[in-house]
Amino acid sequence: MNAELVTSALLARLDIAEPALAAHAAAMPSGLTAPDKGGDERWEASQVLAHIAEFIPYWIDQAQHVIDNYHSKPVPFGRTKADPTRRAAIAAHGEHDSLAHMARIAAGVAALRVFVGALTEASLAAVGEHPTLGRMAMPDLIEEFLVGHIEQHRVQLDRLGGA
């Protein structure tokens, strides 16, 4: 796998997602999101932003843990949607100012850019073991829990905002 190509593609996707999230934070669309596939949670825009702000640093840490500890056997990592810490962060911060959420998201995306920029062939070869999704190669972990996850929630906000 070419780390340079993976890195540039991920960074390009963040270049699209981050300003869209900032626009949503400024406009604050109303209504409730449709539930995630296989889920039942419906959120207001502020709750979506709180969730994004919380998960970016969590999943960067988890991905780094997998990279740092991978030695040919999958490294246990992660949490499920039912995790009380995840739900508590959304409940505790869902009512806060959307621009404050966006400041935390921007900091998280900046950290994610650093993480992605440091990916190497060896780090991309790392494999983790998620409690429900099983074995995941690093590119899949980044897609499921970081860049793709950010994009999924951006789409939710697009739908709330009528984009």
Side-chain angles (χ1 to χ4, degrees):
M1 180 171 303
N2 184 320
E4 226 175 281
L5 289 175
V6 171
T7 296
S8 64
L10 292 170
L11 293 174
R13 289 167 63 193
L14 290 172
D15 288 343
I16 294 167
E18 186 176 15
L21 290 172
H24 288 306
M28 282 309 289
S30 62
L32 294 174
T33 63
D36 289 344
K37 183 180 176 182
D40 62 355
E41 295 173 314
R42 298 185 70 203
W43 296 338
E44 295 176 354
S46 61
Q47 292 172 303
V48 174
L49 294 170
H51 174 59
I52 297 167
E54 184 275 333
F55 80 64
I56 295 173
Y58 174 82
W59 287 113
I60 291 170
D61 288 347
Q62 290 296 297
Q64 191 63 56
H65 167 76
V66 171
I67 291 167
D68 292 345
N69 293 285
Y70 181 69
H71 304 290
S72 77
K73 291 188 180 181
V75 177
F77 78 98
R79 63 185 181 194
T80 67
K81 287 185 177 190
D83 184 274
T85 306
R86 172 189 170 272
R87 290 182 181 254
I90 296 161
H93 300 289
E95 299 299 321
H96 291 167
D97 177 14
S98 63
L99 297 179
H101 291 317
M102 194 57 222
R104 291 177 54 218
I105 290 168
V109 170
L112 181 53
R113 288 178 186 282
V114 170
F115 172 79
V116 166
L119 291 171
T120 64
E121 304 291 328
S123 60
L124 287 168
V127 177
E129 181 85 29
H130 186 267
T132 57
L133 299 177
R135 289 182 182 201
M136 298 183 80
M138 186 54 56
D140 297 328
L141 187 157
I142 293 167
E143 180 64 29
E144 180 71 25
F145 298 112
L146 284 161
V147 178
H149 195 177
I150 292 167
E151 291 171 330
Q152 289 167 2
H153 288 299
R154 182 203 43 90
V155 169
Q156 282 183 317
L157 293 169
D158 288 350
R159 290 181 181 143
L160 283 181

